[in-house]
């Protein structure tokens, strides 16, 4: 199987774990080595997109001045580096199994009179189906060390992490006015804080005020009615455009600032801290509003997706999750397309990836049930993170 090269410079991501080098360090940079791809940024983290083919990543050692003699270095797998990254960024990356990658040329030499070494090649294999289904996230962390002691390694620029971003290719169901989803939760829920997540793609959205309004998505309420608790999400309302997303909860109504596009995938996260509800779209905060701070109660037979009178769109949906805690912004941005089914506070998790039938499986194993009232149309081989 052929592999392909990736342009690392375009994949550099900004994470709080990284801080820039100050001018003083540059001013005294003499006879020191660093990983060229870091550009001397400390603890550089690069995202590597993994699809169906192996990926080759090149690494080089660069020194600040021409080498006065041959200088030998090595790239070492560094578990402690990844642990520090996870702690400082509230992530849970696992070190990729050695069976899934190969580091050729980990011993690197900068020849006398030169400033740049030849390349070391990191070959990363596609993730297995089992790895993808696990919801775990994987990374490779490397540290540069001198083998002969002839030259110091610059502290900033001596470490590099590769965060693997696998293509999420799955089957998705299509919901419409004739195909709604009903839920039977394991038990009634009374939530002081919560998070509702899902990926959604709408075929029809109104662009004018009131146009194609009240296209219901997730709708949950208390056994005693909406006044006792509610999470009602929809596109459009009478006083807003049909391509704005809206939530009704705890007696407040909040609209999205952004206007959504048709036939495009979005990751949506509604977060309620008890005193505030916030909307995140593709990991970024869109809007927030104060609430009255009362519990949100959901009856075990009072949750559904869709409606029969207002829903005009084909609704493609994936990765529906309900948490009994308020996720942090980093947790939301780190796990849009998969998460660990055993994660703390995850109450229900429907991946909607069965590919056939009208019954859906709760990945948490908690016993929540979901099904459609009619046969479901499935679309295979959808890539959620295509953009």
């Amino acid at each position: 199987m052929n592999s392909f090269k990736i342009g690392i410079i375009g994949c550099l991501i900004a994470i709080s774990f990284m801080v820039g080098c100050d001018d003083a360090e540059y001013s005294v940079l003499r006879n020191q080595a660093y990983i060229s791809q870091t550009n001397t940024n400390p603890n550089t983290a690069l995202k590597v997109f993994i699809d169906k083919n192996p990926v080759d990543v090149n690494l080089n050692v660069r020194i600040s001045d021409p080498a006065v003699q041959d200088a030998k270095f090595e790239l070492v797998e560094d578990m402690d580096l990844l642990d520090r990254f996870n702690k400082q960024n509230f992530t849970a990356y696992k070190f990729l199994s050695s069976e899934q990658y190969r580091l050729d040329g980990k011993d690197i030499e900068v020849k006398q009179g030169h400033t740049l070494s030849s390349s070391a090649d990191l070959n990363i294999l596609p993730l297995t189906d089992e790895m993808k289904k696990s919801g775990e996230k994987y990374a490779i962390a490397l540290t540069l060390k001198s083998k002969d002691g002839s030259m110091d390694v610059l502290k900033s620029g001596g470490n590099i992490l590769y965060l693997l971003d696998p293509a999420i290719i799955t089957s998705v169901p299509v919901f419409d006015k004739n195909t709604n989803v009903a839920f039977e939760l394991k038990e009634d829920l009374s939530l002081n804080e919560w998070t509702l997540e899902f990926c959604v793609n709408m075929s029809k959205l109104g662009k004018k005020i009131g146009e194609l309004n009240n296209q219901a998505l997730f709708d949950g309420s208390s056994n005693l009615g909406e006044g006792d608790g509610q999470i009602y999400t929809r596109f459009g309302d009478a006083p807003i455009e049909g391509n704005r997303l809206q939530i009704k909860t705890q007696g407040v109504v909040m609209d999205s600032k952004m206007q959504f596009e048709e036939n495009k995938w979005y990751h949506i996260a509604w977060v309620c801290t008890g005193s505030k509800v916030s909307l995140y779209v593709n990991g970024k905060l869109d809007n927030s509003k104060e609430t009255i701070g009362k519990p949100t109660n959901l009856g075990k037979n009072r949750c559904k997706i869709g409606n029969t009178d207002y829903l005009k769109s084909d609704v493609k949906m994936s990765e529906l999750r309900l948490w009994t805690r308020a996720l942090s912004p980093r947790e939301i941005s780190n796990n849009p397309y998969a998460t660990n089914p055993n994660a703390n506070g995850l109450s229900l998790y429907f991946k909607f990836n069965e590919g056939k039938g009208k019954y859906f499986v709760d990945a948490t194993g908690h016993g929540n049930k979901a099904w459609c009232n009619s046969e479901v149309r499935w679309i295979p081989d959808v890539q959620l993170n295509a953009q």
Side-chain angles (χ1 to χ4, degrees):
M1 187 178 292
N2 294 329
S3 61
F4 60 92
K5 307 286 186 181
I6 65 169
I8 289 298
I9 298 301
C11 296
L12 186 63
I13 59 172
I15 300 177
S16 64
F17 185 60
M18 296 176 281
V19 293
C21 304
D22 57 29
D23 293 337
E25 188 169 10
Y26 282 109
S27 66
V28 297
L29 184 56
R30 292 290 184 270
N31 295 316
Q32 296 187 68
Y34 59 94
I35 300 171
S36 180
Q37 284 73 18
T38 68
N39 293 316
T40 71
N41 291 315
N43 302 315
T44 296
L46 305 174
K47 278 202 172 182
V48 180
F49 187 75
I50 304 292
D51 201 346
K52 298 179 180 179
N53 299 313
V55 174
D56 284 341
V57 178
N58 293 332
L59 296 101
N60 305 87
V61 173
R62 185 178 293 276
I63 59 177
S64 52
D65 301 288
V68 297
Q69 64 184 57
D70 292 350
K72 297 181 179 181
F73 303 89
E74 62 179 338
L75 289 163
V76 179
E77 287 94 340
D78 193 336
M79 301 283 266
D80 290 339
L81 175 62
L82 183 58
D83 288 342
R84 294 197 303 273
F85 178 88
N86 281 329
K87 288 177 182 178
Q88 295 187 31
N89 289 279
F90 304 97
T91 52
Y93 284 98
K94 288 189 173 182
F95 211 106
L96 186 66
S97 168
S98 59
E99 298 175 351
Q100 289 296 126
Y101 73 93
R102 185 181 70 252
L103 180 58
D104 292 331
K106 62 165 54 178
D107 293 332
I108 301 178
E109 187 175 51
V110 180
K111 294 291 188 180
Q112 181 180 1
H114 292 261
T115 59
L116 187 68
S117 74
S118 58
S119 295
D121 296 319
L122 177 62
N123 179 263
I124 306 171
L125 299 179
L127 301 187
T128 65
D129 289 339
E130 183 179 354
M131 294 169 74
K132 292 178 181 178
K133 290 177 182 178
S134 71
E136 302 285 1
K137 305 189 77 173
Y138 299 92
I140 301 170
L142 302 173
T143 292
L144 181 67
K145 294 186 177 181
S146 173
K147 287 194 73 174
D148 57 14
S150 63
M151 191 171 297
D152 292 333
V153 174
L154 186 66
K155 185 175 181 181
S156 57
N159 300 322
I160 192 166
L161 299 97
Y162 294 101
L163 312 179
L164 307 191
D165 186 18
I168 307 299
I169 300 174
T170 184
S171 296
V172 297
V174 179
F175 307 138
D176 55 32
K177 65 179 181 180
N178 298 313
T179 309
N180 291 182
V181 182
F183 293 90
E184 181 181 319
L185 307 185
K186 181 181 178 181
E187 58 188 0
D188 294 340
L189 296 175
S190 183
L191 307 174
N192 292 314
E193 58 179 51
W194 50 265
T195 302
L196 173 68
E197 294 182 278
F198 50 81
C199 296
V200 68
N201 181 310
M202 304 286 290
S203 68
K204 293 182 181 179
L205 291 170
K207 296 178 176 60
K208 300 177 182 178
I209 291 178
E211 182 181 18
L212 296 181
N213 75 89
N214 197 27
Q215 296 200 86
L217 300 177
F218 181 86
D219 177 9
S221 61
S222 163
N223 295 323
L224 300 179
E226 297 176 1
D228 189 52
Q230 181 185 35
I231 303 175
Y232 182 38
T233 65
R234 63 183 175 184
F235 273 104
D237 192 10
I240 62 172
E241 299 90 341
N243 56 5
R244 293 190 192 273
L245 192 56
Q246 184 184 84
I247 188 169
K248 293 172 63 180
T249 187
Q250 293 199 20
V252 304
V253 177
M254 187 182 75
D255 307 323
S256 67
K257 292 181 179 179
M258 74 173 292
Q259 293 175 280
F260 291 75
E261 298 178 26
E262 296 175 344
N263 299 307
K264 183 175 180 179
W265 280 101
Y266 295 92
H267 173 257
I268 305 300
W270 302 97
V271 180
C272 180
T273 62
S275 60
K276 179 186 289 186
V277 63
S278 301
L279 168 63
Y280 293 82
V281 181
N282 294 335
K284 297 181 179 179
L285 180 63
D286 175 87
N287 202 3
S288 60
K289 192 171 185 177
E290 300 294 326
T291 67
I292 59 177
K294 64 182 295 186
T296 300
N297 297 303
L298 301 178
K300 62 181 297 183
N301 295 304
R302 298 279 298 183
C303 297
K304 62 180 182 177
I305 293 174
N307 52 25
T308 58
D309 42 2
Y310 289 96
L311 188 56
K312 307 300 182 184
S313 173
D314 286 343
V315 181
K316 295 188 280 288
M317 189 172 283
S318 184
E319 292 292 314
L320 177 74
R321 310 170 205 152
L322 180 65
W323 304 73
T324 58
R325 63 185 180 90
L327 296 186
S328 70
R330 280 182 178 165
E331 288 178 304
I332 293 167
S333 62
N334 285 337
N335 301 290
Y337 307 114
T339 197
N340 188 335
N342 300 313
N344 176 40
L346 186 56
S347 180
L348 65 81
Y349 182 11
F350 289 96
K351 296 185 178 184
F352 291 145
N353 65 351
E354 286 76 7
K356 61 181 180 180
K358 62 179 183 179
Y359 296 93
F360 310 106
V361 177
D362 179 12
T364 67
H366 292 164
N368 301 296
K369 299 177 181 179
W371 66 91
C372 275
N373 55 335
S374 61
E375 289 302 318
V376 177
R377 176 162 59 95
W378 289 89
I379 301 178
D381 301 324
V382 174
Q383 185 171 326
L384 294 184
N385 55 346
Q387 63 266 32

